[in-house]
């Protein structure tokens, strides 16, 4: 098996309910997401994807539709938190994502894993994610 890796960035805001430090306030990050997939190299001379497990363009489209379009420039809040209970609709805010979980780096990464696995392209297996919240801090999941 061969592993393909693709790196993505997106900007997102969140707030951590009941957190004792500054992160309890709404704030944002530029996230860096590393996506790793396994697959079998196609060995069909003359086929468009001969010698590949997937086209990087197809991986980019998959992650963009399932993750980037959801989280990029969104405000992610735990539903029923004090922040989520504000009347955002009166302010015409449309990029609010309410979750059942505390929107930590770890939980956002697991949400991303679940979203990607729901629509994974045929022949690929999601094997690792790494989500950087800051240049020196990240959460990692491995299958």
């Amino acid at each position: 098996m061969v592993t393909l890796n693709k790196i993505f960035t997106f900007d997102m805001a969140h707030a951590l309910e009941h957190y004792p430090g500054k992160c309890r306030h709404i704030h944002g990050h530029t996230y860096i997401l590393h996506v790793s997939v396994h697959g079998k190299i196609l060995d069909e001379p003359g086929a468009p994807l001969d010698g590949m497990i997937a086209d990087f363009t197809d991986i980019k489209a998959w992650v963009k539709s399932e993750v980037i379009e959801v989280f990029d420039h969104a405000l992610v809040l735990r539903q029923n938190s004090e922040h989520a209970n504000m009347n955002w609709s009166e302010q015409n805010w449309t990029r609010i994502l309410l979750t059942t979980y505390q929107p930590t780096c770890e939980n956002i990464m697991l949400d991303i894993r679940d979203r990607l696995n729901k629509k994974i392209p045929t022949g690929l297996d999601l094997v690792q994610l790494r989500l950087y919240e800051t240049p020196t801090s990240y959460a990692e999941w491995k299958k």
Side-chain angles (χ1 to χ4, degrees), residues 61-78:
W62 165 54
V63 174
K64 183 179 179 204
S65 70
E66 301 307 313
V67 176
I68 306 304
E69 290 177 2
V70 173
F71 290 100
D72 190 38
H73 284 82
L75 171 57
V76 180
L77 302 169
R78 179 186 251 169

Side-chain angles (χ1 to χ4, degrees), residues 42-62:
L42 182 64
D43 184 14
E44 292 182 15
L49 298 183
D50 183 37
M52 300 180 189
I53 67 168
D55 189 314
F56 282 113
T57 303
D58 294 336
I59 293 172
K60 180 180 177 181
W62 165 54

Side-chain angles (χ1 to χ4, degrees), residues 12-17 27 29 31 76-79 81 97 99-108 133:
M12 190 194 87
H14 68 151
L16 302 180
E17 182 181 29
H27 65 286
H29 301 279
Y31 289 86
V76 180
L77 302 169
R78 179 186 251 169
Q79 65 189 19
S81 69
L97 178 61
T99 65
T100 57
Y101 58 80
Q102 175 84 312
T104 61
C105 186
E106 300 91 328
N107 283 330
I108 293 165
E133 189 172 84

